[in-house]
Every structure is written in C-alpha cells, then in structure tokens.
Amino acid sequence: MMTTENKPAVLIKNAQIFTDGCLQNLQILFNEEEILRIAPAIDEALAKTVIDAKGLALLPGLVDTHVHLREPGFEAKETIKTGSLAAAAGGFTTIFAMPNLKPAPSTVETMKPYMEKIARHAAVRVIPFGTITDNEAGATPTDYKALKTLGCRWFSDDGVGVASGAVMQKAMKQAVEEDVLFSCHTEDMNYRQPGASVHAGPYAKENGWTGIPSACESSQLIRDLEFARTIPVKYHADHISAKESVEALAAAKADGVNCTAEVTAHHLLLEDKDVTGPMFKMNPPLRSHEDRMALIEGLENGTLDFIANDHAPHTMEEKSRPMEQAPFGIVSLETSFPLLYTEFVEKQKRWSLKQLIEWMAEKPAARFGLEKTGRIQEGYRPDFFLADLNTSYVIDPQSFESMGKNTPFGGWTSCARVEQTWVEGRPVWTRADSGLN
Ligand SMILES: [Zn+2]
C-alpha cells in the first residue's frame, strides 16, 4: 500500500458516484493504479488534483468485447487512434479489437507489431483478439499456445463463420487445452444469396431486396452449441439477432453448456422496417419486431449475457453505394450508451441504470476474465467516465471522434452525454465544451 499511496492522487467531488448498484453522493480518491477510497467526505489534502464534477454522474468504464479498429490494413476506415478515441468518447475504457485485419494477427510475427502499435496509439485499453483459424481462412486452427505467450486469451474469426464443422471441433479441442475463449460470428453461407443485405421477411420483399434468413445465423450457432456439449470450450456467441438463436442459447444454457452471448445496441433499438438504405445495412441484419422483442427479453432473463456493439466503420464513399454493393456495418461506440440509456432507462423506464451498467461493464469484464474491472469500488481499476444524465442533445455524426460517420442514428435525441473518460486514473478524453479541465 505504501507504494500506491505515494503516487499522486486525484479527488473527484460533487459527482453522483455509481457504486454498490446505485448513484450516491460520495467522493472518490484514486491514483493511476487503483481506486483508493470512496466516502461521503475525503480530506482534499490527500489529493494533488481536485475535480469538481457537480451535476454529473461518475459511472464505471464500459467494456465492449466487439470492436473493429481496422488497423492494420484498412486505415481509410478507422485507425487504432481514432477508434480508441471514439471508445473514450462513448464511455468505454476497455475494448476488444476484432482480428479481421491485414495482416491478420494469427501468428506471433503478426501479433507482436500489432500489439506494439496498440501500445503506442490507443487512448483506452485495447485488447486484441487472435484468430480462431489462420488468417480467418477456416482451414487450420491458429496456434493458441504460441499467441498465449504474448498474453492473448481471446480468439475470433469475426466477419465469417468457421464453415467446416470438423475444423471447428479441432479448434475447440485445442482451445480447451490452452484455456482460451472463442468469440464466434456464426454464419452459414449456404443460406446467403449474393447481394443479400437485409433480413429475409415481408419488408425485404416489398422493397425488392434480397434477404438474409435467420437460419444463416442460428443454424451454425446450433451446430457450435452441439459441439460445445461434449467439448467444454469457453464459447461466446457474437451479435445475436434472431429469436431462433435466443432459443438455442436458452436450451444450451439449461443443459449446462459453457456459453454466453452478446447483443448490440442497434439490434435492441431498430427493426427491419426501419431500414431505408445502406446506413442501416449490417451483418447480421436488423430483424423483425418479434426478433427484437426476443432479444430484449433474452437480455432481461439472462439468456443473452451482455451488450457489445460491433463498431464497424466504413468510408462515406463505400456507404453511398447501392444497397447490394455497400459494405455491412455501422459505427456505434459513440451512440450505444447514450441511446440505450435514453430509450430503455429514461423513456420506457424498462431498465434500471444498474442493469445497463451490468450489461455494458460488469458482465463483459467478468466473462472475458478482466480482473478488478467493470465496477467503481475500492481496490478496483480507476477506469470510469463522467456523464450528464439530465441533458438533451441531437446526435451529430460529424462530431464523432471515429473516422466512420456511418450511423443510422444521426438526428436522434439523447438525454445522456459523456463528458470525460478516465483510464488508469488519467483523463483520456474530455468533451470540448464540457467545462471540465
Ligand atoms: Zn461479426
């Protein structure tokens, strides 16, 4: 304790601090290593810096296990620097970066320079996924043991499903041996026609669009969950969109399979009938009202475990192409917390702030094995953000830190705004006219 107490400490006063499951009028003292004290009154003489956060809430730093930073390989869309700044601007202090990159981080030789880049440029804690198969090619399981020497314990082939069941089973067995987690994009391409861009349903037909059936996602998920019944891999399902997938997860969980699943803010907020063009095109697609309700209920009853947002930046040129040719994906880091809070906590009063924080911080941190992360508590990591929960502003994509402006949420009104984000006890992002230093 002597060593940490000798480091310069910061005191935040007059904020409503989210701790023990609710907002409380408390003060917080921390240094770059840990939260030292949370109490009704703390002696200012203990701090080198005192911050007056009157009118703001201090919330645990959010954790997103599904982010595309695009670097290396696709720097016209986003970089480690801009993507991680977007994370900070959205209240996220830890993000996991997907490995569909050029070169893909499948080996020590490609992962090492990638990690060095992250260390140089990231504004928040960025944890890279390794691939499940070499170069996400679906043929050969990655050498998990080798990548573990660099600290990698999380693997994904996001962007594509592992098509071969034989390869997936082999990969799962090796993952069990190395005790690493799989984060799986499930998609059986046998169900996807060329040019398919939206959910296969009456609305797609009306508009003359080729649809992506729910079975495209759920069939491969059902296959993987079958494998996971006998191969005890730590299995996590990415961006669940279909009610059939929720049903499959419920059944697997009831049988004790070691599986969890995430759902994105856009699948909770939007449906296929909201789609007007490529800005609403993502994979998996926005599905029917019935599907969306199944996702909300699945999250509420624990079948789905937490929220992760699949931040997927593209250039405006790419997103201006016709529906069939535009790439899949939307940016989400800077809108997910403000809009979920506004819709489900403030407007509908369906969720508590406690639930939202559990789904966006505590539960992803726990499942992905991050220690002392996801809560504001003495001894925990000093990762948090200040937010105004009683404001009103209009989402303007041009104000995003992200290079990607591809969002369907431009023009939406939010009552929750991120003002300042702290990682490891240091402010890494402050909103320009927040009034905070
Ligand atoms: Zn994906």
Side-chain angles (χ1 to χ4, degrees):
M1 280 311 277
M2 275 310 286
T3 51
T4 59
E5 279 174 5
N6 287 339
K7 296 201 168 158
V10 180
L11 173 72
I12 296 181
K13 62 177 187 180
N14 294 328
Q16 291 246 297
I17 297 177
F18 185 88
T19 184
D20 293 332
C22 61
L23 290 169
Q24 304 182 50
N25 289 313
L26 294 168
Q27 300 187 346
I28 182 168
L29 184 76
F30 55 92
N31 60 20
E32 291 181 3
E33 260 168 32
E34 61 175 340
I35 296 171
L36 299 167
R37 243 183 117 189
I38 302 169
I42 297 172
D43 184 358
E44 289 192 14
L46 293 170
K48 194 177 172 218
T49 314
V50 178
I51 291 172
D52 185 348
K54 195 171 164 50
L56 302 179
L58 187 74
L59 307 174
L62 306 176
V63 176
D64 196 326
T65 62
H66 195 137
V67 173
H68 295 277
L69 293 178
R70 305 300 193 201
E71 183 183 4
F74 307 92
E75 290 86 347
K77 298 174 193 276
E78 189 83 287
T79 64
I80 291 164
K81 188 176 174 185
T82 57
S84 61
L85 270 175
F92 293 91
T93 54
T94 303
I95 57 174
F96 285 77
M98 281 300 177
N100 48 345
L101 301 165
K102 251 187 205 156
S106 293
T107 62
V108 169
E109 288 66 39
T110 49
M111 180 61 90
K112 226 176 161 183
Y114 175 40
M115 286 179 134
E116 286 162 7
K117 244 182 200 166
I118 288 171
R120 276 201 304 278
H121 299 299
V124 301
R125 185 176 301 107
V126 172
I127 301 174
F129 278 103
T131 57
I132 290 176
T133 63
D134 278 341
N135 291 312
E136 297 203 1
T140 316
T142 297
D143 187 346
Y144 311 122
K145 192 174 191 166
L147 286 176
K148 253 182 96 180
T149 63
L150 297 178
C152 302
R153 294 184 282 128
W154 308 270
F155 295 85
S156 178
D157 269 8
D158 188 51
V160 289
V162 178
S164 157
V167 172
M168 190 54 163
Q169 289 181 80
K170 196 173 164 193
M172 282 178 166
K173 283 176 189 160
Q174 294 178 14
V176 171
E177 260 168 44
E178 297 306 326
D179 191 29
V180 298
L181 180 141
F182 275 5
S183 185
C184 297
H185 168 123
T186 62
E187 184 174 20
D188 183 337
M189 295 303 279
N190 292 311
Y191 290 89
R192 201 171 112 192
Q193 310 260 339
S197 4
V198 295
H199 174 57
Y203 187 75
K205 270 205 192 104
E206 269 169 47
N207 286 278
W209 290 323
T210 309
I212 304 172
S214 297
C216 193
E217 167 184 288
S218 61
S219 64
Q220 197 172 84
L221 175 67
I222 290 165
R223 178 202 74 179
D224 282 0
L225 292 172
E226 270 312 303
F227 296 160
R229 279 167 200 268
T230 51
I231 309 168
V233 63
K234 279 190 260 181
Y235 187 92
H236 177 73
D238 292 345
H239 43 50
I240 293 303
S241 68
K243 61 180 189 300
E244 292 83 354
S245 301
V246 179
E247 284 161 18
L249 284 158
K253 282 187 167 187
D255 291 345
V257 175
N258 185 353
C259 60
T260 49
E262 70 194 31
V263 59
T264 73
H266 49 268
H267 288 105
L268 294 166
L269 288 163
L270 297 168
E271 307 174 349
D272 62 350
K273 65 170 177 42
D274 296 314
V275 176
T276 53
M279 225 40 120
F280 293 77
K281 179 179 173 180
M282 71 282 287
N283 191 20
L286 300 170
R287 298 200 185 273
S288 70
H289 179 72
E290 218 185 326
D291 288 300
R292 185 168 77 92
M293 290 304 126
L295 298 176
I296 294 170
E297 281 157 26
L299 186 61
E300 289 167 352
N301 69 28
T303 304
L304 304 179
D305 296 82
F306 56 80
I307 295 163
N309 294 298
D310 196 6
H311 175 83
H314 294 293
T315 66
M316 287 313 270
E317 185 279 313
E318 290 169 314
K319 277 298 207 183
S320 305
R321 294 173 193 166
M323 197 64 160
E324 294 74 25
Q325 288 141 39
F328 290 104
I330 63 164
V331 290
S332 49
L333 285 168
E334 292 167 86
T335 53
S336 57
F337 177 80
L339 293 180
L340 289 171
Y341 182 88
T342 301
E343 180 60 29
F344 292 101
V345 181
E346 184 65 25
K347 267 194 210 159
Q348 291 193 28
K349 309 218 182 304
R350 183 171 176 141
W351 300 344
S352 62
L353 176 61
K354 179 174 186 278
Q355 283 175 300
L356 188 58
I357 294 290
E358 277 174 3
W359 292 327
M360 294 189 79
E362 210 171 321
K363 290 191 170 169
R367 175 55 167 171
F368 277 54
L370 307 179
E371 285 180 4
K372 297 181 175 179
T373 307
R375 278 194 214 172
I376 297 178
Q377 198 173 301
E378 286 173 13
Y380 266 55
R381 276 177 163 159
D383 293 352
F384 29 68
F385 68 106
L386 286 164
D388 187 345
L389 301 178
N390 300 293
T391 184
S392 177
Y393 69 103
V394 176
I395 304 278
D396 172 14
Q398 295 314 313
S399 73
F400 288 171
E401 297 286 354
S402 173
M403 286 165 67
K405 313 299 177 195
N406 50 310
T407 174
F409 296 117
W412 283 45
T413 300
S414 169
C415 71
R417 178 141 68 177
V418 178
E419 300 289 338
Q420 187 171 59
T421 300
W422 294 70
V423 177
E424 290 168 8
R426 281 166 290 152
V428 296
W429 182 87
T430 306
R431 192 172 67 79
D433 46 355
S434 67
L436 292 158
N437 294 319

